Amino acid sequence: MNLSQLDTLAQDIIIRAGERIKQSLHKEMTITEKSSPSDLVTNIDMETEQFFVKEVSEALPEHRLLGEEGFGDTITDWDGYVWIVDPIDGTTNFINQQRNFCITVGIYKDGVGELGYIYQVMTGELISAIRGQGAYQNGVLLPRLKNVEFEDSLIGVNASWVAPNRHIDHHQVAKLIKRVRGTRSYGSAALEISYVVTGRLDAYFSMRLSAWDVAGGMVIANEVGALCGTLGGGEFDLLKKQPFIIANPALFEELVKDYLIS
Amino acid sequence: MNLSQLDTLAQDIIIRAGERIKQSLHKEMTITEKSSPSDLVTNIDMETEQFFVKEVSEALPEHRLLGEEGFGDTITDWDGYVWIVDPIDGTTNFINQQRNFCITVGIYKDGVGELGYIYQVMTGELISAIRGQGAYQNGVLLPRLKNVEFEDSLIGVNASWVAPNRHIDHHQVAKLIKRVRGTRSYGSAALEISYVVTGRLDAYFSMRLSAWDVAGGMVIANEVGALCGTLGGGEFDLLKKQPFIIANPALFEELVKDYLIS
């Protein structure tokens, strides 16, 4: 199976997973707390991940799958093909709003992101990329990002990083938000990344993200010229929960060095 | 003209204004700063308000109009019918995102809100209400809000109110956001109010809102049982720029008294 065929298969699985989620909105769902009262999972998150595991293992038994809900494989190395899947990114939005959540998938080969997807289920907006072949929104090529001015920028940042917290110097974040045109917060890392790669936001950062939140988005980011990394400016390690930033290329370095570096 | 006919006329003008805005997205626009670099207006805001002024004055010459951009009447009393119009609420989103902005209109008679509208132009979502007759989203009756628990709630609050500022004790806002399930920020008061009246957010507050931001939303709020007011808990004075809160009835009093009162 070449990359183009793999892309067709992945898009087909993602769209069908989205259909299942939409149908589930009419049924009662089960909500369970994970690490904290604001870290929730539903039976739909779990069933959707199991759907991915089944579809991928049937079509491509040699591919492995790393999923947020743990139904895939235990990944400690990146040999061969690995699908990195968040079946519902923005579970709180899914529960409270029945919108503003995404399916996001990255397909990595020997640790290199080859294919990336962010699918906003309720609007049908599908952003996809094959490495080196550009990024598309529902089949339309996304332009590479134009440089923006700091003072004209919109930044995705949750209010919790401006309040005292254990992960970042909130005084620095407060200084940053006074300088930019405005801030937004949508409650789904994948949705916010999709806003940066389309130029609707000029940066987004959060302090505790995992591979499944960003793996698809990082492949897309490369194709439009958005820069990604940790807040130390280094590469995001897909095996760790850690800070993550994606930004317009004109903002990335200054954001990290002057405001966010720990 | 009875209220039902007035409703039909208002919806017709709003939809046509939305069409004009959508068409304008293909053209170059002129952006001007108002009070600050983050307070912007475009020629489309102005042309849309002028469209409202023309349509209303032609159809109903005895009605007055108060608009954000100042093309309507100078209002110092609320006698008779007054249309309170924000032609584009969320101008920064309009400029940077080409989405997530609203037309919002309240029609008041002798100071009482009779009709309210929030129209999210790019999605076509139109929320409307006639006083005492319920609120509708594109013709479907909106249910009255169910009580929510504080700890399960999602609150619309911009990060700037969690940073040191002249308008509210940011320590209190930081305490609040640690208690709720999460916060969101969409950059359009009308959009955020539309999220509260549909139960997608459980509260929203901001410190410097004007009549045109909230007049339509307050009429809709009444019909679904959402409570509105200033942060002192009093009624919002449509002649002043001031703090505004809208909340689920189970949260309103505690939010104001324990966290937000000045």
Side-chain angles (χ1 to χ4, degrees):
Chain A
M1 189 172 276
N2 64 29
L3 280 185
S4 167
Q5 291 166 322
L6 188 53
D7 176 47
T8 304
L9 173 73
Q11 293 206 24
D12 176 64
I13 298 175
I14 290 166
I15 300 289
R16 285 190 290 130
E19 286 305 314
R20 293 168 54 99
I21 293 172
K22 279 187 267 188
Q23 283 162 20
S24 77
L25 287 174
H26 308 292
K27 300 177 199 154
E28 188 107 353
M29 67 173 96
T30 314
I31 303 169
T32 316
E33 274 182 27
K34 292 198 287 187
S35 62
S36 77
S38 59
D39 184 18
L40 303 171
V41 65
T42 74
N43 59 310
I44 314 302
D45 296 73
M46 295 192 274
E47 287 166 27
T48 305
E49 184 166 310
Q50 288 166 326
F51 173 77
F52 270 97
V53 170
K54 179 173 168 293
E55 293 288 325
V56 174
S57 66
E58 280 178 12
L60 300 160
E62 73 283 14
H63 286 206
R64 296 183 293 162
L65 187 149
L66 172 65
E68 175 168 21
E69 310 311 340
F71 295 103
D73 299 282
T74 303
I75 302 290
T76 54
D77 69 80
W78 297 102
D79 295 347
Y81 277 102
V82 181
W83 293 50
I84 307 175
V85 175
D86 195 341
I88 299 183
D89 184 76
T91 299
T92 297
N93 288 345
F94 175 64
I95 296 168
N96 285 43
Q97 306 188 331
Q98 296 84 52
R99 70 191 64 207
N100 298 327
F101 58 88
C102 300
I103 298 172
T104 182
V105 176
I107 305 180
Y108 283 60
K109 185 184 177 193
D110 299 328
V112 176
E114 297 286 349
L115 299 149
Y117 305 92
I118 300 175
Y119 181 47
Q120 197 187 334
V121 175
M122 300 310 289
T123 65
E125 188 175 286
L126 174 62
I127 298 176
S128 64
I130 303 178
R131 182 166 66 92
Q133 299 184 31
Y136 289 81
Q137 178 177 321
N138 299 100
V140 178
L141 183 69
L142 288 175
R144 287 186 74 83
L145 295 180
K146 290 191 194 118
N147 284 352
V148 296
E149 299 289 333
F150 220 103
E151 282 68 19
D152 299 337
S153 68
L154 275 187
I155 308 282
V157 50
N158 193 270
S160 57
W161 307 125
V162 191
N165 70 83
R166 287 178 297 139
H167 301 287
I168 192 167
D169 178 355
H170 67 284
H171 300 293
Q172 284 296 101
V173 182
K175 252 175 65 182
L176 166 64
I177 68 170
K178 286 210 187 300
R179 189 174 162 206
V180 298
R181 180 174 283 173
T183 65
R184 302 287 182 264
S185 181
Y186 301 113
S188 155
L191 181 59
E192 291 173 286
I193 292 168
S194 82
Y195 264 50
V196 176
V197 298
T198 52
R200 298 170 203 155
L201 290 177
D202 303 301
Y204 162 72
F205 63 90
S206 192
M207 301 312 295
R208 306 262 298 144
L209 294 185
S210 300
W212 41 81
D213 298 309
V214 303
M218 288 187 348
V219 178
I220 298 165
N222 273 336
E223 298 304 315
V224 298
L227 300 180
C228 301
T230 66
L231 297 187
E235 238 179 89
F236 189 88
D237 178 345
L238 290 168
L239 291 174
K240 282 201 251 173
K241 192 166 193 170
Q242 68 205 286
F244 173 81
I245 179 169
I246 176 170
N248 182 285
L251 304 184
F252 186 85
E253 199 180 327
E254 195 173 353
L255 267 171
V256 168
K257 283 204 180 151
D258 291 359
Y259 295 98
L260 303 177
I261 207 164
S262 327
Chain B
M1 189 173 277
N2 64 29
L3 281 185
S4 167
Q5 290 167 321
L6 188 53
D7 176 46
T8 303
L9 174 73
Q11 293 205 24
D12 176 63
I13 298 175
I14 290 166
I15 299 290
R16 285 191 290 131
E19 284 306 315
R20 291 168 55 97
I21 294 172
K22 277 187 271 188
Q23 283 163 19
S24 76
L25 286 173
H26 308 294
K27 300 176 199 154
E28 189 107 351
M29 66 173 95
T30 314
I31 302 169
T32 316
E33 274 183 28
K34 292 198 287 188
S35 63
S36 77
S38 59
D39 183 20
L40 303 172
V41 65
T42 73
N43 60 311
I44 315 301
D45 295 73
M46 295 193 273
E47 287 165 27
T48 305
E49 183 166 309
Q50 288 166 327
F51 173 76
F52 270 97
V53 169
K54 179 173 167 293
E55 292 289 325
V56 174
S57 67
E58 279 177 12
L60 300 160
E62 72 284 14
H63 286 207
R64 294 183 294 163
L65 188 149
L66 171 66
E68 175 168 21
E69 311 311 339
F71 296 103
D73 300 281
T74 303
I75 302 290
T76 54
D77 69 79
W78 297 103
D79 295 347
Y81 276 102
V82 182
W83 293 50
I84 306 174
V85 175
D86 196 340
I88 298 182
D89 185 76
T91 298
T92 298
N93 289 345
F94 175 63
I95 296 167
N96 285 42
Q97 305 188 332
Q98 298 83 49
R99 69 193 64 209
N100 298 327
F101 59 88
C102 300
I103 298 172
T104 183
V105 175
I107 305 180
Y108 282 59
K109 186 186 177 191
D110 299 328
V112 177
E114 296 288 348
L115 300 149
Y117 305 91
I118 300 174
Y119 180 47
Q120 197 187 333
V121 175
M122 299 310 288
T123 66
E125 188 174 286
L126 173 62
I127 299 177
S128 63
I130 304 178
R131 182 167 67 92
Q133 298 184 31
Y136 290 81
Q137 179 178 320
N138 299 98
V140 179
L141 183 69
L142 287 175
R144 287 184 74 82
L145 296 180
K146 292 192 193 114
N147 285 351
V148 295
E149 300 288 332
F150 219 103
E151 282 69 18
D152 298 338
S153 68
L154 274 188
I155 307 283
V157 51
N158 192 271
S160 57
W161 308 125
V162 192
N165 70 83
R166 287 177 298 140
H167 300 288
I168 191 166
D169 178 355
H170 67 285
H171 301 293
Q172 284 296 101
V173 182
K175 253 176 63 182
L176 166 64
I177 68 170
K178 286 209 185 302
R179 188 173 162 208
V180 298
R181 180 174 283 173
T183 64
R184 302 287 181 266
S185 181
Y186 301 113
S188 155
L191 181 59
E192 293 174 284
I193 292 169
S194 83
Y195 264 50
V196 176
V197 299
T198 51
R200 296 171 206 155
L201 289 177
D202 303 301
Y204 162 72
F205 63 90
S206 193
M207 301 312 295
R208 306 263 297 144
L209 295 185
S210 299
W212 42 80
D213 298 310
V214 304
M218 288 189 343
V219 178
I220 299 165
N222 273 334
E223 298 304 315
V224 298
L227 300 179
C228 301
T230 67
L231 296 187
E235 239 179 89
F236 188 88
D237 179 345
L238 290 168
L239 292 174
K240 282 200 251 173
K241 192 164 193 170
Q242 68 205 285
F244 173 81
I245 179 169
I246 176 169
N248 183 285
L251 303 184
F252 186 85
E253 199 181 326
E254 196 173 350
L255 267 171
V256 169
K257 283 203 180 151
D258 291 359
Y259 295 98
L260 302 177
I261 207 165
S262 327

